[in-house]
C-alpha cells in the first residue's frame, strides 16, 4: 500500500482515479480548490484538503509515494478569451506543484495531458511522436507542462508519465461527469434526453468524414483510470513517458447522437450550426504505446456501454437535485 496525492480529485476524472486507487488498497489525499469540482465527488475513504495546487508545499511531505495531477482549468473556449487564467492555473499551478514535490522528495508523477497538445493532426491515428501544434491556450498550457515535466525528470530525477487523453466519457458508480458549463458532447446530448435543453447543436456537417460531422475517440473513464494505476508502476526515475489514451476508434457526432437515441429512447432533435474554429475533423488516438509501455488493455470500448453508464449517472444526479 502506498500513499498518493490526487490533485483535482473532486473533479470528474480525478474522482474516478482516486476511487480506483482506494479500491487497489492505497491511501489517498485529494487536494482540490472546488473551483469546478464537487466536495461530494470525493470518494469515501479519501482524505480531503480544500486548497490550491499553488500552495501544495503546505501539504506535501515525504510520506507520499507520488502525485496524480488532474487539477486544471480545461474549457477550450474559455481559454481563448481568458488565456491568462490557463497560464496562471495550469502552468503556474503545475510549476508550484513540481517545486513542492522536489522539496518534499516526492519523485513520482502522473499528469493529465491532452490530445489538444497536437492541434490539427497531420495523420490519424495520432502517435506520440506527431507534431505538437496546439490551436488554443488550453492545449498550449498543457503542452508547456509536458515540457516542464521532461526537464524536471532529466534534471532532478522525477519519474513521470503524461497521459494524453482523447474524449473521456462514461461514469464509474457515483463518480461521473458534471461540468458547469458542460462542453462535452455525450453529457450535452444526455441533457436533451432529460429535457434540460431542446436540441443538440451539430457544429458543422461538411467535414471530410463519412457523415460530414467531426469524429472523436471516446474512452471510458474507468479504462482511463486503470491506465493511471499502470502508469504509477511504469514511472521510472529520470524518465518522462508520454502515452496517448484513447481506444483507437473514432465515432462521429451523428453516431454519438444516434447511440444516445438508442440508449435513452428519446428522439434527440439536432440543429446544424456553423463549424467552430479550431475543431479538427478527426481526432483518433493510436493506443499502441499505452498497450506496449503500460500493458494497458481497455475493456469498455463499446460506445453504447459508455453512453449507458453516463446516462445512469446523469439520471442519478437529476434525482438528487
Ligand atoms: N474530461 C476530458 O475529456 C479530458 C480530456 C483531456 C484532458 N483532460 C484533463 O484531465 C484533467 C481532469 O479533467 P476533468 O474533466 O476531470 O475536469 P474537472 O474540471 O472535472 O476537474 C478538475 C478539478 O481540478 C480542480 N482544480 C482546478 N484548479 C485547481 C487548483 N488550482 N487547485 C486545486 N484544484 C484545482 C477543480 O476544482 C476540479 O475538481 C484536467 O487536467 C483536464 O485538462 C480531461
Amino acid at each position: 500500500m502506498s500513499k498518493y496525492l490526487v490533485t483535482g480529485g473532486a473533479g470528474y476524472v480525478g474522482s474516478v482515479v482516486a476511487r480506483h486507487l482506494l479500491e487497489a488498497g492505497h491511501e489517498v489525499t485529494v487536494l482540490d480548490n472546488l473551483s469546478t469540482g464537487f466536495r461530494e465527488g470525493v470518494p469515501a475513504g479519501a482524505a480531503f484538503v480544500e486548497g490550491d495546487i499553488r500552495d501544495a508545499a503546505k501539504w506535501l511531505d515525504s510520506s507520499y509515494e507520488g502525485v496524480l495531477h488532474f487539477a486544471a482549468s480545461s474549457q477550450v473556449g474559455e481559454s481563448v478569451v481568458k488565456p491568462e487564467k490557463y497560464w496562471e492555473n495550469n502552468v503556474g499551478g503545475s510549476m508550484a506543484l513540481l517545486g513542492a514535490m522536489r522539496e518534499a522528495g516526492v519523485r513520482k508523477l502522473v499528469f493529465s495531458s491532452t490530445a489538444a497538445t497536437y492541434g490539427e493532426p497531420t495523420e490519424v491515428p495520432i502517435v506520440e511522436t506527431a507534431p505538437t501544434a496546439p490551436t488554443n491556450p488550453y492545449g498550449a498550457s498543457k503542452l508547456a507542462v509536458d515540457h516542464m515535466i521532461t526537464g524536471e525528470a532529466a534534471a532532478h530525477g522525477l519519474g513521470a508519465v503524461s497521459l494524453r487523453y482523447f474524449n473521456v466519457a462514461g461514469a464509474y458508480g457515483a463518480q461521473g461527469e458534471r461540468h458547469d458549463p458542460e462542453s462535452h458532447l455525450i453529457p450535452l446530448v444526455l441533457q436533451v434526453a432529460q429535457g434540460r435543453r431542446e436540441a443538440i447543436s451539430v457544429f458543422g456537417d461538411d467535414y471530410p468524414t463519412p457523415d460530414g460531422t467531426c469524429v472523436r475517440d471516446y474512452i471510458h473513464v474507468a479504462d482511463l483510470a486503470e491506465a493511471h494505476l499502470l502508469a504509477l508502476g511504469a514511472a521510472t526515475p529520470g524518465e518522462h513517458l508520454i502515452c496517448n489514451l484513447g481506444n483507437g476508434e473514432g465515432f462521429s457526432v451523428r453516431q454519438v447522437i444516434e447511440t444516445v437515441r438508442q440508449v435513452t429512447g428519446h428522439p434527440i432533435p439536432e440543429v446544424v450550426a456553423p463549424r467552430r474554429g479550431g475543431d479538427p475533423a478527426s481526432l483518433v488516438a493510436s493506443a499502441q504505446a499505452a498497450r506496449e509501455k503500460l500493458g494497458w488493455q481497455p475493456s469498455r470500448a463499446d460506445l453504447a456501454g459508455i453512453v449507458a453508464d453516463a446516462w445512469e449517472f446523469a439520471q442519478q444526479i437529476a434525482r438528487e437535485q
Side-chain angles (χ1 to χ4, degrees), residues 7-15 31-38 51-54 69-75 89-90 93 111-116 138 142 163-169 176-179 184 224:
T7 76
Y12 172 40
V13 181
S15 65
L31 170 62
D32 199 301
N33 66 5
L34 301 181
S35 52
T36 59
F38 299 85
D52 198 287
I53 47 170
R54 284 163 283 202
H69 177 30
F70 302 92
S73 301
S74 59
Q75 296 275 345
N89 199 30
N90 297 358
F111 171 60
S112 302
S113 188
T114 165
Y138 165 64
K142 288 282 179 170
L163 298 173
R164 289 190 171 156
Y165 314 161
F166 281 60
N167 286 49
V168 190
E177 196 166 8
R178 49 197 299 195
H179 298 119
H184 293 149
L224 187 93

Side-chain angles (χ1 to χ4, degrees), residues 98 107 146-161 236-241:
L98 284 179
R107 307 314 295 140
D146 275 341
H147 286 311
M148 203 190 293
I149 294 171
T150 302
E152 186 74 21
H156 302 300
L158 181 71
V161 180
T236 306
E239 287 181 20
H240 180 205
L241 173 65

Side-chain angles (χ1 to χ4, degrees), residues 214-247:
C214 287
V215 169
R216 296 288 181 268
D217 184 333
Y218 295 88
I219 172 171
H220 195 293
V221 68
D223 280 342
L224 187 93
E226 283 165 12
H228 286 71
L229 271 71
L230 293 167
L232 284 170
T236 306
E239 287 181 20
H240 180 205
L241 173 65
I242 298 180
C243 284
N244 290 340
L245 279 185
N247 284 313

Side-chain angles (χ1 to χ4, degrees), residues 120-206:
E120 183 77 48
T122 47
E123 268 180 51
V124 178
I126 302 172
V127 291
E128 290 78 357
T129 50
T132 42
T135 53
N136 52 64
Y138 165 64
S141 71
K142 288 282 179 170
L143 182 61
V145 177
D146 275 341
H147 286 311
M148 203 190 293
I149 294 171
T150 302
E152 186 74 21
H156 302 300
L158 181 71
V161 180
S162 286
L163 298 173
R164 289 190 171 156
Y165 314 161
F166 281 60
N167 286 49
V168 190
Y172 187 63
Q175 268 80 38
E177 196 166 8
R178 49 197 299 195
H179 298 119
D180 184 20
E182 188 53 78
S183 62
H184 293 149
L185 180 62
I186 292 175
L188 283 174
V189 188
L190 291 175
Q191 288 181 4
V192 181
Q194 288 180 312
R196 293 171 58 199
R197 57 178 70 227
E198 280 186 10
I200 188 73
S201 298
V202 176
F203 295 104
D205 65 352
D206 56 352

